[in-house]
Amino acid sequence: MDKQYVIGLPAETRIINNLARNTVNDDEVAGVIKHGGVPVLIPTRNPEIMEHYVDLIDGLLLPGGPDVAPKFYGEEPVQNLGDTDAFLDASEIALVKLAVAKRKPIFGICRGVQVLNVALGGTLYQDLYSQRNHPTLQHYQKAPMPQGTHTISTTPDSYLAKIIGQGDSTLVNSHHHEAVKAVAGQLNISALAKDGVIEGVESQDDDLIIGVQWHPEAMFRTDEKQDALFADFMARVEKFANQKAVHDSVSTENE
Ligand SMILES: [Mn+2]
């Protein structure tokens, strides 16, 4: 990659030593840097200024984090909903809508796949175990995060299958009790767990959006398939940035 591309990572606000701190997962930062990206942290207290950030970045990485407040998809909170942060939700939902409008590629991880689904009109299980009528696997694993524990089946001919392979044998880690329920209209399911829980979604007509329910950032150092997700993200960022550069130069010539 000749040029270095700027990747925005929304920051979760956490109270550390009695101070509110803007935090990102250093493994996600490392995955971006490994593949030539320049990560920038996006504070999320002010949803109304997100357009400025989307103009600054070439791609958006939506990280893992707390549950999504169900008011954003028209539901009341159930008993087993976890911690939520409506400022984080509103900021990330704005980032998704703006990134889609401005054709900046998105890579959603865990909470990230949930947020992008909600931003585009889908819904979530607030808690798989109390809301799902099927036998459900252990999706909040007790194994260390770098270790895969359940398999997924990629959708044949999906874009995800091109990255990590066709078939039903890819082992992924799992650290969630929420999951995509109704898939947003412009997304397709790209992967399922063996119990039917949705483990990946992607945009239908292009490769602008990829989201996975597991944590590739905890696995990419030792697992080639998970590393390929970060490599593909940066390749998509480069492709869309080049398309925009061609579009902008044509627009300038016509002025
Ligand atoms: Mn899972």
Side-chain angles (χ1 to χ4, degrees):
M1 202 166 285
D2 299 332
K3 186 177 179 299
Q4 287 194 301
Y5 294 97
V6 176
I7 304 302
L9 288 98
E12 184 183 338
T13 307
R14 288 190 180 178
I15 307 298
I16 302 171
N17 294 335
N18 294 319
L19 287 174
R21 305 275 186 178
N22 293 294
T23 65
V24 296
N25 180 342
D26 193 53
D27 286 336
E28 288 159 341
V29 168
V32 167
I33 290 175
K34 180 182 175 187
H35 292 284
V38 179
V40 296
L41 181 155
I42 301 175
T44 53
R45 292 302 88 185
N46 304 87
E48 64 278 7
I49 62 170
M50 291 300 120
E51 184 163 8
H52 297 284
Y53 288 108
V54 175
D55 287 336
L56 289 171
I57 64 178
D58 299 301
L60 176 66
L61 195 159
L62 290 172
D67 286 359
V68 180
K71 69 175 185 176
F72 289 103
Y73 49 96
E75 290 188 8
E76 298 293 324
V78 301
Q79 175 66 34
N80 291 334
L81 179 71
D83 294 344
T84 61
D85 175 350
F87 287 103
L88 178 63
D89 296 335
S91 293
E92 291 190 337
I93 287 168
L95 287 167
V96 169
K97 290 177 176 173
L98 289 159
V100 169
K102 293 171 186 280
R103 309 290 287 166
K104 308 280 175 96
I106 299 172
F107 180 22
I109 290 175
C110 195
R111 168 190 163 84
V113 71
Q114 297 161 10
V115 166
L116 71 87
N117 187 56
V118 169
L120 300 176
T123 66
L124 305 178
Y125 288 104
Q126 297 181 39
D127 176 60
L128 286 171
Y129 299 97
S130 55
Q131 293 192 303
R132 213 163 165 264
N133 295 322
H134 305 273
T136 300
L137 296 168
Q138 186 185 78
H139 286 277
Y140 205 92
Q141 73 182 40
K142 293 164 185 171
M145 285 292 280
Q147 299 177 14
T149 57
H150 75 63
T151 55
I152 53 158
S153 305
T154 49
T155 304
D157 301 321
S158 61
Y159 186 77
L160 182 70
K162 293 192 183 79
I163 305 170
I164 66 171
Q166 306 273 359
D168 61 0
S169 62
T170 297
L171 196 60
V172 299
N173 58 13
S174 197
H175 211 250
H176 60 109
H177 77 121
E178 293 206 299
V180 170
K181 187 163 63 177
V183 181
Q186 67 193 86
L187 301 174
N188 284 337
I189 295 170
S190 59
L192 293 172
K194 295 302 186 291
D195 58 5
V197 168
I198 294 171
E199 290 276 339
V201 298
E202 60 189 35
S203 38
Q204 286 177 347
D205 303 323
D206 53 34
D207 50 0
L208 189 71
I209 303 168
I210 291 248
V212 297
Q213 183 55 69
W214 63 93
H215 285 273
E217 82 284 1
M219 302 178 78
F220 79 90
R221 291 179 178 87
T222 53
D223 184 323
E224 286 180 7
K225 288 182 178 182
Q226 305 309 326
D227 192 55
L229 281 168
F230 282 95
D232 170 79
F233 177 44
M234 293 311 302
R236 290 189 288 127
V237 167
E238 182 172 40
K239 187 183 92 171
F240 278 90
N242 286 337
Q243 286 176 359
K244 185 174 186 305
V246 170
H247 176 269
D248 289 351
S249 68
V250 171
S251 301
T252 306
E253 283 166 20
N254 291 343
E255 278 171 5

